[in-house]
Amino acid sequence: MRLSKVSAISFDLDDTLWPFRLAVERAEVALHSWLREHAPRTGATLPNWRALGALRDQYERSRPDLAGNYQALRLGSIRRVLKLAGEDVALAEDAYTVFYSARQKVELYKDVWPALTWLNPRFPLVAVTNGNADLRLTGCAAFFGTHLSAATFGYAKPDARIFLEAAKSVGVQPEALLHVGDDFDLDVLGSLNAGLQAAWIVRKRLSEGKAATCENSRWYLTIRDLSMLCRALGGPPLLNSAKDR
């Protein structure tokens, strides 16, 4: 790695800047409550909000052609439960709006805001995601000059094209862009294969064997939180979020 050559940074979003599962669970609670009010017969199929996730996963398995299209998968699963309950399928669009709005109410990891505040004046920042988070609704848009999503760009990580587009969007060569993400295959290997530098953020404790492998890597940086990233790039310690969480 050549951190001294980093001119810009791209970030994954879900499970890198905020916990994904928490946001989705909150959205499913909101959706379940809305369905109980506006389509009460869905209660027989959805005894609680957790059933929404199971139904969505079941629908994804039945529609491999929609893999990665999170809006279509969620909408399709909502339509399915409305149809099963004998409710108006046309309610699906309004139901999805409720879900999507609640899904954007994320809780940033404690290290994220101070880290982005330090990084933003020093590096162009790009969001690169396979998910459907809207940075404007999450409150993070001011930190990022560009937001690339697989749904709008047409290619998803680990495809090299989305990483190369991220570098192009901020006017740097791929080797000068550092990509930060939590998924080893999608974020680390994907960005390395595209010629970028990579930082693997591992917020949960790794097994000892895996941790040793990470620490010995010459190809990517392994960090526990974004404070470690800032320190690696010459910044001060900002917040020991891993201890505070």
Side-chain angles (χ1 to χ4, degrees), residues 82-151:
L82 288 168
K83 185 176 181 179
L84 287 172
E87 294 281 6
D88 185 0
V89 177
L91 290 171
E93 295 287 344
D94 288 341
Y96 179 77
T97 298
V98 170
F99 171 85
Y100 186 74
S101 177
R103 185 259 187 271
Q104 308 306 317
K105 296 176 181 178
V106 300
E107 292 184 12
L108 299 178
Y109 292 114
K110 290 184 178 181
D111 55 292
V112 170
W113 196 269
L116 294 181
T117 299
W118 186 84
L119 292 166
N120 174 260
R122 294 166 174 81
F123 302 93
L125 304 183
V126 187
V128 180
T129 179
N130 287 359
N132 61 354
D134 186 328
L135 284 177
R136 296 167 300 175
L137 298 178
T138 63
C140 297
F143 292 114
F144 294 91
T146 307
H147 178 193
L148 288 174
S149 70

Side-chain angles (χ1 to χ4, degrees), residues 32-220:
H32 185 257
S33 178
W34 189 92
L35 287 171
R36 283 176 62 89
E37 179 180 355
H38 297 276
R41 283 177 289 183
T42 59
T45 306
L46 302 172
N48 54 60
W49 64 266
R50 291 180 177 83
L52 283 165
L55 184 69
R56 187 262 186 213
D57 292 344
Q58 182 185 63
Y59 184 75
E60 182 176 20
R61 289 191 294 271
S62 72
R63 293 295 305 271
D65 57 307
L66 296 179
N69 190 334
Y70 301 107
Q71 179 176 349
L73 289 169
R74 183 63 67 170
L75 262 172
S77 66
I78 294 171
R79 290 191 182 105
R80 176 170 288 183
V81 74
L82 288 168
K83 185 176 181 179
L84 287 172
E87 294 281 6
D88 185 0
V89 177
L91 290 171
E93 295 287 344
D94 288 341
Y96 179 77
T97 298
V98 170
F99 171 85
Y100 186 74
S101 177
R103 185 259 187 271
Q104 308 306 317
K105 296 176 181 178
V106 300
E107 292 184 12
L108 299 178
Y109 292 114
K110 290 184 178 181
D111 55 292
V112 170
W113 196 269
L116 294 181
T117 299
W118 186 84
L119 292 166
N120 174 260
R122 294 166 174 81
F123 302 93
L125 304 183
V126 187
V128 180
T129 179
N130 287 359
N132 61 354
D134 186 328
L135 284 177
R136 296 167 300 175
L137 298 178
T138 63
C140 297
F143 292 114
F144 294 91
T146 307
H147 178 193
L148 288 174
S149 70
T152 56
F153 180 63
Y155 299 98
K157 298 178 295 183
D159 192 298
R161 283 169 286 194
I162 195 167
F163 294 109
L164 295 176
E165 182 64 21
K168 181 181 178 181
S169 73
V170 289
V172 303
Q173 293 299 310
E175 61 269 21
L177 180 62
L178 173 68
H179 180 70
V180 183
D182 70 290
D183 189 295
F184 189 80
D185 294 324
L186 299 183
D187 293 305
V188 179
L189 293 184
S191 58
L192 290 175
N193 288 336
L196 279 62
Q197 298 191 57
W200 187 23
I201 187 163
V202 186
R203 294 184 178 277
K204 295 181 179 179
R205 185 180 298 276
L206 292 168
S207 65
E208 292 183 4
K210 189 67 173 179
T213 302
C214 297
E215 291 167 0
N216 292 336
S217 173
R218 295 182 295 115
W219 308 109
Y220 56 88

